[in-house]
Amino acid sequence: MQRTVDPLWNSPRVRLLMERSDPGGLIKLGRTWRGWRQADLGHRLGCSASTVSRLEKPGRVSDLRLLQRAAYEVGVPADVLGAALGLLGPRATRVAPNGPRHTQEDPMRRRTLLGAVGLAVPASFLLGVESALAEMPAPSGSPAPLDVRLARARALFDTGRYADLLKELPDLLATAHARIQDRAEISYARLSACYALTAQVLVKIGRYDQARLTADRASLYADLSGSALASAAAARELSIVLRHQDQADSAKRLILNAASRVEATGLNTRAQATAYSQLLCTASYTAARAGDRDRALAMIDDAMRAARDLPTVVPAGRLFSITPASVRLYEVGVHWALGDAGAAIRAGRQLREEQFATAERKGRLHTDMARAWWQWGKPEETAQSLLAAFRVTPGEVRDRPSMRAIVKDLHRAHPRVHGVRELSRAVLTD
């Protein structure tokens, strides 16, 4: 349902705030238009009046998600907010946690990024993505359709070629940004998908600050697209980032709200049912990581029921790629997160590589089993599972900090266990 837009948002004052890139000023304008105090808006947002005061100040935006929620409450139209944030043009990338700065202007951040110790991903590729997030480059002018390029980029992720994907992302994002000049909803949805994919790979390699920025942008562009499924996909990526940033409560609220919105569609199409099941899986794992055992187990059961009639192979190009086997794989992770290694291994033993269409998922099966074996104190089984993952897709072990940490622990504590030496040579020798 479309919200009624107040005449206020067509006023010269609003246009001035947009030109000055002052989203906080828009929040203040909308709040005072409604006769609300800062405490009144804070009550609706679940924050203090002082937080609202900081949000309304001109300058850098520290919490894009809170800004979006505040804008919704006071009625700022999405396109007005996007323009004030500088997100409606091909070179617009001004918003970042704690304020964006070009990589070359921030030596400390550059050293931090270059200090991605132990990662097989070249630092230059990470710097390329970081630079694009601070100041979007001009698109290369590739003649390939954007949908084709996005599909190729997803294929790089699905095959665990994370370094190659990072190399491609700056120009993919630049091209997608250039396309939104037509203000078409599909263009916003495609740009959101590009940012969501960027968030996915950044999470894989443990770069959570950059992933938070890209997930926030995916959410904003999804809202501009008007697509419920695009918004759900972006919300899922953001919830995953929040979970990694130890913001479990925010992650739970976000993913449960997204699941509720998809459920409200009636789940009349297979795409909606797939999205709903995927969101329940993510919500279950998020609850498990927060120690909420009852909710985690209830939601993974709900996800299994929702996925019961889904196909075993997901059609290409879908925003959500859940299958019944994928739900079972999530169950492995849920039991591991709850500290029940035995239940995780029992669930994983019901799965086989051939049930998964992509190398990334095949590899994830083995790494999830490795985590469970390691939790149970079985170093040989852990090593063999990690070797199996490495043979399917090296990046799933080599580029994920959590997996490299297990390999290092195996190498230090169990160097003579069968498979550990081979694994260490494969993963730790860069």
Side-chain angles (χ1 to χ4, degrees):
M1 183 174 66
Q2 296 290 327
R3 301 181 72 185
T4 301
V5 177
D6 294 328
L8 166 70
W9 304 113
N10 293 319
S11 68
R13 186 175 180 185
V14 167
R15 287 194 292 273
L16 181 61
L17 290 170
M18 291 163 62
E19 291 170 2
R20 290 178 175 174
S21 299
D22 185 4
L26 293 173
I27 303 302
K28 183 176 181 179
L29 186 63
R31 175 179 61 78
T32 54
W33 178 264
R34 280 159 176 70
W36 294 350
R37 300 168 303 168
Q38 290 177 335
D40 297 326
L41 178 56
H43 178 73
R44 287 169 170 80
L45 297 174
C47 66
S48 65
S50 59
T51 298
V52 173
S53 176
R54 288 193 296 271
L55 196 68
E56 292 180 346
K57 289 180 179 178
R60 293 168 176 168
V61 178
S62 60
D63 191 334
L64 180 55
R65 196 66 185 174
L66 183 63
L67 183 77
Q68 287 179 264
R69 289 173 52 209
Y72 182 85
E73 291 292 339
V74 302
V76 182
D79 59 334
V80 172
L81 178 64
L85 289 169
L87 295 174
L88 298 185
R91 295 179 60 81
T93 52
R94 298 181 186 175
V95 183
N98 301 319
R101 288 169 289 179
H102 193 283
T103 305
Q104 293 180 348
E105 297 171 357
D106 192 344
M108 178 60 74
R109 185 149 181 86
R110 181 181 179 88
R111 286 196 296 272
T112 300
L113 190 63
L114 287 170
V117 178
L119 289 183
V121 173
S124 60
F125 295 169
L126 286 169
L127 284 169
V129 172
E130 169 112 332
S131 295
L133 296 177
E135 184 177 355
M136 195 62 62
S140 65
S142 169
L146 184 58
D147 280 346
V148 172
R149 294 186 61 190
L150 180 56
R152 289 173 182 167
R154 283 178 174 147
L156 291 174
F157 181 86
D158 288 340
T159 53
R161 296 167 59 189
Y162 305 133
D164 291 339
L165 175 55
L166 287 167
K167 185 178 180 180
E168 296 295 324
L169 281 172
D171 189 57
L172 180 66
L173 289 169
T175 302
H177 264 286
R179 300 291 169 81
I180 65 170
Q181 294 182 78
D182 62 11
R183 303 296 194 268
E185 291 181 352
I186 187 62
S187 297
Y188 290 123
R190 286 170 178 152
L191 181 54
S192 175
C194 290
Y195 272 117
L197 180 60
T198 306
Q200 280 184 287
V201 69
L202 289 171
V203 165
K204 278 283 188 184
I205 64 173
R207 311 307 296 182
Y208 303 126
D209 287 345
Q210 292 93 341
R212 172 64 185 272
L213 171 57
T214 54
D216 275 331
R217 290 181 182 172
S219 294
L220 180 59
Y221 289 119
D223 291 345
L224 289 170
S225 78
S227 167
L229 292 184
S231 293
R236 177 175 176 268
E237 296 308 324
L238 181 56
S239 75
I240 291 170
V241 176
L242 290 171
R243 186 180 73 223
H244 282 285
Q245 292 184 321
D246 297 323
Q247 299 182 52
D249 289 342
S250 295
K252 281 196 296 183
R253 285 195 300 270
L254 182 62
I255 197 65
L256 289 174
N257 286 339
S260 296
R261 289 193 296 271
V262 172
E263 186 179 24
T265 65
L267 308 181
N268 298 316
T269 68
R270 182 157 284 174
Q272 292 168 347
T274 302
Y276 182 61
S277 180
Q278 179 91 64
L279 292 169
L280 287 177
C281 286
T282 303
S284 173
Y285 187 72
T286 300
R289 292 304 302 265
D292 190 345
R293 182 181 185 84
D294 291 342
R295 175 170 284 187
L297 296 178
M299 286 192 294
I300 200 65
D301 286 343
D302 288 345
M304 287 179 179
R305 283 191 289 272
R308 187 170 45 210
D309 298 325
L310 294 178
T312 57
V313 178
V314 179
R318 286 282 174 87
L319 284 172
F320 296 92
S321 57
I322 205 76
T323 65
S326 300
V327 178
R328 183 69 65 185
L329 181 54
Y330 267 97
E331 185 186 13
V332 175
V334 166
H335 286 302
W336 169 81
L338 292 172
D340 193 343
I345 290 167
R346 285 193 295 275
R349 280 174 167 165
Q350 301 177 52
L351 298 171
R352 304 177 308 280
E353 267 191 28
E354 55 267 28
Q355 291 175 283
F356 301 95
T358 69
E360 186 270 338
R361 286 290 93 180
K362 295 176 194 287
R364 189 60 185 257
L365 167 61
H366 295 302
T367 56
D368 279 6
M369 289 296 284
R371 292 193 305 181
W373 284 120
W374 187 239
Q375 188 179 64
W376 205 1
K378 302 288 186 179
E380 183 171 347
E381 289 84 350
T382 302
Q384 293 305 314
S385 293
L386 289 173
L387 281 170
F390 189 87
R391 289 165 188 147
V392 173
T393 170
E396 192 63 20
V397 183
R398 186 185 56 210
D399 296 337
R400 289 179 62 192
S402 59
M403 294 300 108
R404 288 178 68 90
I406 293 177
V407 175
K408 289 178 180 178
D409 287 343
L410 280 168
H411 180 71
R412 183 183 66 253
H414 305 282
R416 293 183 175 84
V417 165
H418 177 64
V420 170
R421 186 173 298 176
E422 178 187 355
L423 180 65
S424 300
R425 282 198 303 266
V427 175
L428 301 180
T429 304
D430 297 324

